[in-house]
């Protein structure tokens, strides 16, 4: 019997897509303004409030692939999941080759290197392919609650807490020592996959939820305010609070994931609403892959970008416009046989 669809994961997937668009719209003119300008301050706020986007995608993937109640076969991973990502990457890389670059002025070697690198937002595909490749190993850990919790505990220390400690100027001498541990399995985005799995499968106690809501709310204020203040003090962008392995982004991500789960977990949707949400969720991968082209369409065809008018007005307009364009394209592509299975 198939497991019941978890609607709040679909909702998270949709809003994470919008958050990714927000980050890239905020970055559109990021380097054109200094940190003491009104425009840069606006970019910082929009970017800061959306740092949770990619980690939430990781948590969703972890909740699905690390759940040992779901059958995940190695054969399927290498015959379906990884090839699908690889083909999508190749196709969209070629698309962005022509969208962003003047191919007539590029040599064969440069073209190959550009296609292999992909669009600037497509690094996420490498991340997911890597995750798929080690899923069979990670599922051995996620098989029990105790092992999962232990892995998360170690991961938080190694990935988030230690880097925060060694970033303190007086304690930087500890960094070379901490690097000698070589606990690479617990580094990077792996903790987010496990945390997503744990929250969906086991949930959290009320006291931990309250703590996450408190620390998450503080992080939503601290990231933009701290980044602005320290950047202006230094005279250049200070990005430590933006990093995906920072405690601020971790708590911001957990806040978003938990609050959406709390609101929508037991909510009953009409069949029509559920179908609508499921469609937008299904289209989210296509939205992710196309949205950079959507931003360029608005910029080139409408001559409208984040600073054409007040950025607090311009950016929401571009974000909504980009999402609508990207959703339409993804929806259409999802109606085409073969393409829907490999490209979007």
């Amino acid at each position: 019997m198939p497991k019941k669809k978890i609607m709040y994961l679909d909702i998270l997937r949709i809003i994470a897509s919008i958050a990714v668009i927000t980050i890239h719209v905020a970055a559109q003119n990021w380097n054109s303004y200094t940190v003491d300008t009104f425009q840069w301050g606006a970019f910082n706020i929009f970017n800061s409030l959306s740092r949770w986007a990619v980690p939430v995608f990781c948590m969703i993937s972890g909740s699905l692939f690390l759940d040992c109640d779901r059958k995940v076969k190695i054969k399927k991973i290498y015959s379906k999941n990884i090839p699908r990502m690889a083909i999508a990457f190749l196709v969209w890389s070629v698309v962005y080759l022509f969208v962003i670059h003047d191919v007539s002025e590029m040599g064969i070697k440069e073209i190959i290197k550009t296609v292999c690198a992909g669009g600037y937002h497509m690094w996420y595909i490498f991340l997911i392919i890597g995750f798929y490749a080690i899923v069979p190993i990670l599922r051995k850990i996620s098989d029990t609650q105790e092992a999962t919790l232990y892995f998360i505990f170690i991961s938080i220390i190694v990935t988030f807490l230690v880097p925060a400690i060694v970033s303190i100027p007086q304690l930087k001498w500890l960094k070379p020592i901490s690097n000698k541990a070589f606990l690479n399995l617990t580094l990077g985005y792996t903790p987010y996959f496990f945390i997503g799995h744990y929250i969906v499968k086991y949930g959290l106690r009320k006291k931990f939820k309250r703590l996450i809501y408190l620390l998450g709310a503080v992080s939503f204020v601290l990231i933009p305010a701290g980044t602005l203040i320290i950047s202006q003090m230094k005279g250049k962008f200070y990005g430590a609070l933006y990093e995906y392995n920072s405690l601020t982004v971790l708590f911001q991500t957990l806040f978003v994931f938990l609050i959406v789960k709390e609101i929508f977990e037991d909510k009953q949707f009409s069949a029509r609403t559920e179908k609508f949400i499921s469609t937008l969720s299904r289209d989210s991968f296509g939205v992710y892959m196309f949205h950079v082209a959507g931003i360029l369409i608005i910029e080139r065809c409408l001559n409208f970008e984040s600073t054409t008018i007040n950025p607090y007005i311009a950016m929401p307009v571009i974000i909504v416009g980009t999402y609508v364009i990207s959703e339409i394209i993804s929806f259409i592509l999802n109606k085409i046989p073969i393409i829907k299975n490999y490209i979007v």
Side-chain angles (χ1 to χ4, degrees):
M1 184 177 179
K3 295 192 72 171
K4 184 180 177 182
K5 190 174 181 63
I6 304 175
M7 292 304 296
Y8 68 82
L9 293 181
D10 282 347
I11 293 169
L12 279 165
R13 199 176 280 116
I14 295 165
I15 63 173
S17 299
I18 297 171
V20 167
I21 294 172
T22 301
I23 290 173
H24 293 147
V25 170
Q28 190 177 26
N29 288 296
W30 183 269
N31 295 319
S32 301
Y33 293 86
T34 57
V35 296
D36 58 347
T37 59
F38 170 78
Q39 291 86 348
W40 194 92
F43 303 154
N44 173 54
I45 289 176
F46 276 79
N47 202 331
S48 295
L49 298 181
S50 306
R51 301 308 300 172
W52 52 269
V54 170
V56 161
F57 274 130
C58 293
M59 290 177 71
I60 294 170
S61 294
S63 71
L64 298 174
F65 279 86
L66 297 182
D67 182 1
C68 292
D69 292 335
R70 297 172 182 266
K71 290 185 178 180
V72 177
K73 297 180 179 179
I74 295 179
K75 182 179 178 181
K76 185 179 178 181
I77 290 174
Y78 282 92
S79 63
K80 181 180 179 181
N81 300 116
I82 291 178
R84 178 177 184 260
M85 288 293 107
I87 292 170
F89 179 87
L90 179 61
V91 171
W92 286 106
S93 287
V94 173
V95 169
Y96 282 106
L97 173 68
F98 289 97
V99 168
I100 297 175
H101 304 277
D102 185 353
V103 181
S104 63
E105 296 185 358
M106 299 172 67
I108 297 296
K109 186 177 180 179
E110 188 179 358
I111 288 174
I112 293 173
K113 288 174 64 176
T114 303
V115 169
C116 289
Y120 63 78
H121 63 301
M122 288 166 58
W123 63 270
Y124 180 71
I125 305 303
F126 291 105
L127 169 65
I128 289 299
I129 289 176
F131 171 63
Y132 286 160
I134 61 173
V135 156
I137 300 170
L138 300 182
R139 280 170 64 87
K140 295 296 182 182
I141 301 173
S142 66
D143 190 36
T144 66
Q145 183 177 1
E146 183 181 15
T148 302
L149 201 55
Y150 179 75
F151 186 91
I152 291 171
F153 175 72
I154 295 296
S155 295
I156 289 176
I157 292 175
V158 175
T159 306
F160 300 98
L161 192 56
V162 170
I165 292 172
V166 300
S167 68
I168 299 171
Q170 293 81 1
L171 298 176
K172 279 189 175 180
W173 60 272
L174 286 172
K175 189 171 184 179
I177 299 174
S178 67
N179 289 341
K180 292 178 181 179
F182 294 110
L183 294 175
N184 294 337
L185 182 62
T186 59
L187 293 175
Y189 296 84
T190 312
Y192 287 114
F193 292 112
F194 272 91
I195 295 171
H197 159 65
Y198 189 90
I199 291 175
V200 172
K201 189 171 180 65
Y202 302 109
L204 295 176
R205 295 178 183 177
K206 285 186 177 180
K207 63 179 181 180
F208 286 116
K209 290 179 183 178
R210 293 194 192 103
L211 180 61
I212 287 170
Y213 288 142
L214 173 62
L215 294 174
V218 169
S219 296
F220 267 103
V221 175
L222 183 59
I223 296 175
T227 299
L228 180 65
I229 292 169
I230 299 174
S231 294
Q232 291 186 345
M233 288 174 58
K234 290 178 172 290
K236 61 180 180 179
F237 172 54
Y238 174 79
L241 300 176
Y242 269 43
E243 298 295 332
Y244 293 128
N245 70 333
S246 67
L247 288 169
T248 46
V249 172
L250 171 64
F251 292 131
Q252 187 189 61
T253 301
L254 294 179
F255 180 94
V256 172
F257 197 94
L258 274 179
I259 204 163
V260 172
K261 182 177 185 288
E262 289 287 297
I263 293 172
F264 296 105
E265 185 173 22
D266 298 318
K267 186 174 179 61
Q268 297 296 315
F269 297 96
S270 67
R272 192 172 184 177
T273 301
E274 187 170 324
K275 183 179 179 181
F276 178 71
I277 293 172
S278 296
T279 299
L280 293 183
S281 175
R282 177 205 66 189
D283 294 346
S284 62
F285 181 67
V287 168
Y288 184 92
M289 299 304 279
F290 182 82
H291 78 274
V292 171
I295 295 172
L296 289 173
I297 288 171
I298 293 174
E299 179 184 342
R300 295 174 181 177
C301 298
L302 301 180
N303 197 28
F304 192 85
E305 55 183 36
S306 58
T307 55
T308 301
I309 55 176
N310 186 310
Y312 287 101
I313 299 174
M315 282 192 284
V317 170
I318 298 170
I319 291 163
V320 172
T322 299
Y323 181 77
V324 170
I325 293 170
S326 302
E327 169 57 31
I328 291 171
I329 296 297
S330 184
F331 180 82
I332 293 171
L333 293 176
N334 266 296
K335 293 296 182 181
I336 303 173
I338 300 178
I339 286 180
K340 68 179 182 180
N341 295 326
Y342 291 100
I343 310 305
V344 291

